[in-house]
Amino acid sequence: MSDTNAIGLHQNSASQLAEKLNVLLANYQVFYMNVRGYHWNVKGPQFFELHAKFEELYTDLLTKIDEVAERILTLGHKPVHAYSDYVAMAQIGEDKDVHDGEACVRGVLKGYQTLIELQRDLLAAASDADDEGTASQASDYIREQEKTVWMLNAYLG
C-alpha cells in the first residue's frame, strides 16, 4: 500500500494540509457572509462606492471558497460544509448589525488580515510538504490580499 495520495503527496502531509485548508475555508465562509452583510446594510455618504466595492469583494471571496474546497478534494479529503462547523472553526467572527461605512471597511480589513496570516501558515506547511499546488494558491491569495489591505488602509486614511 502506498504512502502517497493520487497526486503523489505523503498521506500524512496531505491530511495536515487538508485540516489547515478546512480552517481557511471556514474563515472564508464567515468572512464572505460578513462582507455580504456589509454590502446589504452599509449606510452613509459613501454608500454607492462601498456598496459596489463590497459586491466586488464578496464575489471574489466566493470564487476563492470554491477553489479552497476543490483543493481539499484534490488532496483526497472532504471539505467542511456545515455553517455551524464554519462558525466553530473560524477565527473570523460573525459581524452583526454593522452599517456604518467606516466600521464595515474596518471589518473587511480585519478579515483580510486574518486570512493572510492563515495563508502564510498554510504556505509554509505546503512548502515543507513539497505541495506546489497548495503553496501556489496560498501565495497568489496573499499577494492579492496584501494589496487590498494596503488600499483599505489608504481609504481609511
Side-chain angles (χ1 to χ4, degrees):
M1 180 172 219
S2 176
D3 188 31
T4 59
N5 67 6
I7 60 172
L9 295 175
H10 289 283
Q11 294 285 4
N12 190 40
S13 295
S15 293
Q16 291 172 3
L17 289 166
E19 286 177 32
K20 288 182 180 297
L21 283 161
N22 264 316
V23 170
L24 183 62
L25 179 62
N27 280 278
Y28 265 105
Q29 287 282 29
V30 174
F31 185 44
Y32 167 80
M33 285 308 301
N34 286 348
V35 177
R36 239 6 246 243
Y38 303 149
H39 169 76
W40 291 330
N41 296 303
V42 68
K43 293 181 178 11
Q46 291 87 20
F47 168 80
F48 290 106
E49 175 184 2
L50 291 176
H51 183 75
K53 186 61 172 177
F54 295 149
E55 183 173 6
E56 174 190 322
L57 295 175
Y58 76 67
T59 299
D60 179 66
L61 291 169
L62 189 56
T63 298
K64 285 178 173 57
I65 287 166
D66 192 53
E67 292 171 350
V68 170
E70 288 176 349
R71 188 65 196 168
I72 295 165
L73 291 163
T74 300
L75 292 172
H77 293 269
K78 183 178 172 187
V80 175
H81 64 275
Y83 204 77
S84 58
D85 290 333
Y86 297 146
V87 172
M89 294 172 68
Q91 288 88 345
I92 298 173
E94 294 177 303
D95 207 358
K96 299 177 184 177
D97 301 320
V98 178
H99 56 82
D100 173 73
E102 186 174 320
C104 292
V105 172
R106 288 190 189 286
V108 171
L109 181 60
K110 185 177 177 188
Y112 276 122
Q113 289 167 330
T114 300
L115 290 177
I116 290 168
E117 182 180 323
L118 291 168
Q119 289 162 163
R120 284 186 181 139
D121 180 58
L122 175 64
L123 176 60
S127 295
D128 290 345
D130 292 326
D131 179 0
E132 178 60 31
T134 301
S136 176
Q137 184 177 19
S139 180
D140 288 349
Y141 291 0
I142 291 166
R143 178 190 43 78
E144 180 184 318
Q145 292 164 1
E146 284 176 341
K147 184 175 180 180
T148 302
V149 165
W150 161 68
M151 294 174 133
L152 292 169
N153 276 314
Y155 180 87
L156 292 171

